[in-house]
Amino acid sequence: MDQEMLNALLLPLMFSMIGGTFVFLYRPEQRAQGLLILTLFQLVGAAGYAMKPTLELFALLCVHALTVLVLLTRHLQAPLPVAQPERK
């Protein structure tokens, strides 16, 4: 029964990667909040790994951490979005 923690965390971590990537690509004004949520999901996964360490869960957390690292690096390298003036 070592798969219990993986089964409990698989869908939330996959959803957070997909949702975080969507927010990063299509909602640039909400990138900071999306990255914070991704980081919090990583912490939840790390707590689950501390309770029941398995190799599969560790691999899932590594993929999630890589996604967070890439998105955070891209966010820090990108210029800030400039508000467009309203047209009348």
Side-chain angles (χ1 to χ4, degrees):
M1 285 287 152
D2 289 336
Q3 295 288 335
E4 292 173 355
M5 194 58 71
L6 177 66
N7 292 341
L9 291 175
L10 179 65
L11 289 177
L13 289 176
M14 295 296 288
F15 177 76
S16 73
M17 285 190 286
I18 294 168
T21 305
F22 175 80
V23 167
F24 186 83
L25 293 176
Y26 296 108
R27 301 196 180 204
E29 67 279 352
Q30 296 177 344
R31 281 184 185 169
Q33 291 114 352
L35 289 169
L36 176 63
I37 291 169
L38 279 172
T39 305
L40 293 176
F41 268 101
Q42 184 70 31
L43 291 175
V44 168
Y49 180 75
M51 287 186 233
K52 297 249 185 186
T54 61
L55 185 61
E56 293 85 6
L57 183 57
F58 182 71
L60 177 63
L61 286 172
C62 286
V63 170
H64 192 274
L66 183 65
T67 303
V68 172
L69 179 68
V70 167
L71 293 178
L72 184 61
T73 305
R74 298 272 303 165
H75 174 67
L76 293 175
Q77 290 177 345
L80 295 173
V82 178
Q84 300 294 326
E86 293 183 23
R87 292 185 177 183
K88 292 185 178 185

